[in-house]
């Protein structure tokens, strides 16, 4: 970490030494912070007057940070962690204020609501799509149960795209960098004709991988293609009616086989055979240059998204009626995710049915194919207005959501045979271990067995509806009160086809259905101490919907649902514009009580260990969030953020694992609150962005930027975290731009950039497979650098 800070310190004098940085007469560069408009409360308002802890990234910030996806802003947002799990570039894991959702199962709900132009994106799977023509990203922290409903207990992320322009416009951006990185973004605005205007956008990018596949001639981590298109059409026939139609499309083909072995348990290696022995040789806590991947011989993960949204708005007599209708379809899959592949010796690797894997055939410690489908329809009606000489504002809404999901995910894995077949039972071993050289009861000792779940299919049919209202009233010229109320009802039905349930219980398909309802109020008092200083106090509630256990291996484990989890939050905030609008400081202090937390538990059954979710967790938390923007002198801009959270786990009932073997330590659930960890939630995180815009030349303007982000230790599992914890991490990026180069009818911008300047090898995501005997991590991308050329008129 000291090396990273040394890099930052070394860069600052270099910026100051650039010719022309001395301050002179007014030359058009920003000398005050501009007002920021947000739509966090379903209506436009000033950021400084909106009583929510909210981070906003406007077009300048999005360009400054080279944002291409929603997750690109996480490092610069207090108490937000967004990362991609191993095996896919298309999925996110979220954690906001310590409330995390990292399971890509289509039956598990997120804790953070993701919205694109007001349309809810229901799953963390498929949420990492390219954003095109973004106008703003808003990150709302804390429960947003009133206006955003279910599954926003941690907060909500709003992606707001730019509306079509009234005049003709064109923009072309070309990027190139190391690892054969190439990106092209094209946007055309048609201008307004007879009330119609449109924006047409297309993005393509690709990149070579950065890890060698040691068993095939290809690179792991490759993005063979990622294509995104967007059509936005606006119709304004009158001053009181607007219709906006948006179609977005994403098509991505990639190879996300980046997880590497970081630890193999010696206990399993001692019981197992050549596969585990070879795995131990390849295991390394540091990022490697190559991995043995047998199945992943080409880009093998695909994702396709089609989204349609129609927003209608009527303004009659100062009252606005809005309708938001949307349909979204996601189809994705992979031909093989692997975690270590090694050749059989033809003797010691059993196929699970009494035979032996032929010599030279590659076997993976864990591999899976996957095919996913999810489609959703949403309809929302909003009524927004004012009354009593604008002292009362109100937002009323009706919301409907329906969804269908399906996943087919057969899996194969290796296990020490002596453990897989019930220890040293003589009858079992004599059938399964046919090697004549073994005549004792421990015939399987030193052998590996390939087990599989050839049938693992599940799906759901869900619907949800809600009615809500938020009312703001000015009690005086300085004091205002906001009351929010929402009632939600969820209806879910699901099925599971599992080879273990079929084999042990004779049930081909398990079906289940249930319903949940919840009431989520919120109350806020905000006070204007002065024109430039506002404070607020909020108490709010939110909930995460209940559901069913996709990974259950018993019929009862699936048909018994887990209930919703609830959070009650108390928050104090202060927002200030100081020093004649050159310094902006926004801060929040929060405390919450998190009850009925959905916790993964061990379930004993005829199929052995079964992983289920149950409501057996409780935690309290206190935290601080701070954001700062400062213009110390003309041309300079300093932005900083800091988040702190201290979480006290009050209850965490589950079956603890033996740290040596990874096996469940018994069959009874116990409270492990004293040593359980909160996952994907660093106690501290922060960022700094420093930019200097030099006085304009006759041919353009130079802009220099350096930014750094930091987070403290993160855990990937509440219990199994001895071997793949991520320590403190500091990342540094840099950028130099030459802007406003006049060229023909438009202007050209040239940018040189570098990311992960110090080429850190940090862990991004980890999975400890417990009883399977190994842990894997994926690592962040190495140093990336390149150039951008942007031309527009």
């Amino acid at each position: 970490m000291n090396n990273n800070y040394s890099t930052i310190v070394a860069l600052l004098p270099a910026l100051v030494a650039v010719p022309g940085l001395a301050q002179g007469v007014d030359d058009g560069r920003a000398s005050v912070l501009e007002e920021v408009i947000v739509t966090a409360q379903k209506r436009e308002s000033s950021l400084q007057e909106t009583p929510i802890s909210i981070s906003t990234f406007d077009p300048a910030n999005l360009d400054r940070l080279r944002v291409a996806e929603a997750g690109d802003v996480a490092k610069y947002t207090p108490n937000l962690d967004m990362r991609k799990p191993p095996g896919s570039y298309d999925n996110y894991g979220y954690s906001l204020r310590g409330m995390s959702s990292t399971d890509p199962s289509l039956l598990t709900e997120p804790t953070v609501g993701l919205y694109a132009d007001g349309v809810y994106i229901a799953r963390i799977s498929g949420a990492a799509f390219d954003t095109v023509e973004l106008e703003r990203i808003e990150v709302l922290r804390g429960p947003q149960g009133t206006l955003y409903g279910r599954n926003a207990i941690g907060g909500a992320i709003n992606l707001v795209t730019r509306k079509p322009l009234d005049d003709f416009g064109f923009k072309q951006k070309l990027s190139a960098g190391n690892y054969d990185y190439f990106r092209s973004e094209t946007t055309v605005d048609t201008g307004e004709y007879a009330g119609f205007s449109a924006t047409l956008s297309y993005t393509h990018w690709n990149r070579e991988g950065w890890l060698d596949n040691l068993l095939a001639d290809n690179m792991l981590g490759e993005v063979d293609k990622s294509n995104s298109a967007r059509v936005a059409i606006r119709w304004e026939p009158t001053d009181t009616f607007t219709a906006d139609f948006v179609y977005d499309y994403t098509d991505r083909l990639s190879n996300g086989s980046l997880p590497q072995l970081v630890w193999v348990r010696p206990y399993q290696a001692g019981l197992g055979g050549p596969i585990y022995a070879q795995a131990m040789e390849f295991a390394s806590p540091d990022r490697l240059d190559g991995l043995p991947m047998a199945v992943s011989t080409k880009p093998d993960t695909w994702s396709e998204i089609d989204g349609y949204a129609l927003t209608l708005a009527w303004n009659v007599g100062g009252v606005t009626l809005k309708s938001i209708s949307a349909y979204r379809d996601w189809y994705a899959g992979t031909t093989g995710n692997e975690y270590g592949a090694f050749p059989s010796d033809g003797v010691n690797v059993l196929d699970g049915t009494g035979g032996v894997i032929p010599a030279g055939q590659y076997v993976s410690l864990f591999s899976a194919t996957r095919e996913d489908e999810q489609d959703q329809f949403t309809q929302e009606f909003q009524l927004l207005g004012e009354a009593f000489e604008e002292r009362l504002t109100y937002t009323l809404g009706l919301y409907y959501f329906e969804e269908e999901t399906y996943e087919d995910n057969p899996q194969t894995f290796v296990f020490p045979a002596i453990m897989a077949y019930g220890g040293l039972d003589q009858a079992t071993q004599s059938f399964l271990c046919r090697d004549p050289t073994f005549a004792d009861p421990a015939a399987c000792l030193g052998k590996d067995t390939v087990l599989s779940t050839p049938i693992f299919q599940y799906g759901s049919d869900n619907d949800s509806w809600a009615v809500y209202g938020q009312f703001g009233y000015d009690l005086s010229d300085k004091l205002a009160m906001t009351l929010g109320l929402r009632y939600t009802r969820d209806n879910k039905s699901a099925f599971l086809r599992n080879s273990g349930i079929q084999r042990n219980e004779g049930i081909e398909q398990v079906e289940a259905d249930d319903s949940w309802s919840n009431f989520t109020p919120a109350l806020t008092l905000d006070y204007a101490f002065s024109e430039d200083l506002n404070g607020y106090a909020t108490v709010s509630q939110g909930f995460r919907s209940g559901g069913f256990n996709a990974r259950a291996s018993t019929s009862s484990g699936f048909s018994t649902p887990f209930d919703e989890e609830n959070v009650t939050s108390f928050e104090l905030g202060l927002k200030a514009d100081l020093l004649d609008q050159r310094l902006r400081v926004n801060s929040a202090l929060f405390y919450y009580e998190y009850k009925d937390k959905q916790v993964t538990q061990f379930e004993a059954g005829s199929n052995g260990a079964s992983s289920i979710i149950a409501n057996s967790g409780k935690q309290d938390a206190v935290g601080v969030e701070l954001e700062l923007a400062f213009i110390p002198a003309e041309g300079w801009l300093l932005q900083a953020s800091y988040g702190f959270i201290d979480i006290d786990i009050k209850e965490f009932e589950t079956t603890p694992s033996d740290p040596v073997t990874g096996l469940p330590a018994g069959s009874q659930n116990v409270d492990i609150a004293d040593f359980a960890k909160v996952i994907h939630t660093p106690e501290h995180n922060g960022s700094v962005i420093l930019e200097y815009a030099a006085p304009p030349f006759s041919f353009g303007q130079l802009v220099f930027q350096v930014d750094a982000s930091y987070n403290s230790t993160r855990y990937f599992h509440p219990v199994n975290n001895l071997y793949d914890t991520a320590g403190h991490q500091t990342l540094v990026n840099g950028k130099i731009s030459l802007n406003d180069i006049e060229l023909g009818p438009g202007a050209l911008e040239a940018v040189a950039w570098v990311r992960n300047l110090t080429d850190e090898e940090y862990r991004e995501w980890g999975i400890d497979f417990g009883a399977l005997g190994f842990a894997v991590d994926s690592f962040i991308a190495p140093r990336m650098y390149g150039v951008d050329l942007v031309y527009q008129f």
Side-chain angles (χ1 to χ4, degrees), residues 47 57 63 126 148 192 210 228 293 391 437 454 458 548 584 603 641:
L47 170 67
F57 299 85
D63 180 67
Y148 293 89
E192 187 269 331
W210 58 81
S228 302
M293 292 288 179
R391 296 189 66 179
T437 62
Y458 67 87
F548 302 96
R584 178 169 295 157
E603 179 191 52
S641 70

Side-chain angles (χ1 to χ4, degrees), residues 162-165 167 188-192 196-200 231-234:
R162 179 178 64 80
K163 299 299 184 287
L165 302 177
D167 299 319
V188 176
D189 277 280
T190 63
E192 187 269 331
F196 286 92
S197 55
T199 301
L200 312 175
V231 178
I233 301 174
R234 164 163 280 205

Side-chain angles (χ1 to χ4, degrees), residues 453-467:
T453 305
I455 302 174
F456 178 29
Q457 301 168 347
Y458 67 87
S460 65
D461 191 348
N462 310 321
D463 66 77
S464 177
W465 63 268
V467 56

Side-chain angles (χ1 to χ4, degrees), residues 195-217:
F196 286 92
S197 55
T199 301
L200 312 175
S201 305
Y202 175 75
T203 298
H204 167 84
W205 70 278
N206 57 265
R207 184 193 60 214
E208 189 180 63
W210 58 81
L211 286 175
D212 288 324
N213 185 346
L214 301 180
L215 304 180
D217 185 20

Side-chain angles (χ1 to χ4, degrees), residues 98-157:
M99 286 169 275
S100 59
S101 47
T102 60
D103 188 347
S105 164
L106 300 181
L107 300 190
T108 303
E109 305 290 350
T111 55
V112 178
L114 178 64
Y115 291 80
D117 290 327
V119 176
Y120 178 52
I121 310 298
R123 300 293 150 199
I124 65 175
S125 296
F129 52 88
D130 285 333
T131 54
V132 181
E133 285 305 302
L134 270 180
E135 180 179 278
R136 189 171 63 254
I137 294 180
E138 302 171 355
V139 181
L140 289 60
R141 293 180 290 272
Q144 305 297 320
T146 296
L147 290 179
Y148 293 89
R150 58 205 272 278
N151 307 332
I153 60 172
I157 300 174

Side-chain angles (χ1 to χ4, degrees), residues 282-295:
F282 274 97
S284 170
D286 302 317
R287 187 179 69 195
L288 302 178
D289 295 325
L291 302 176
M293 292 288 179
V295 175

Side-chain angles (χ1 to χ4, degrees), residues 394-407:
Y394 57 87
T395 301
L396 306 175
L398 291 172
Y399 178 78
Y400 176 75
F401 166 86
E402 71 176 26
E403 172 194 41
E404 292 184 3
T405 70
Y406 171 80
E407 178 167 298

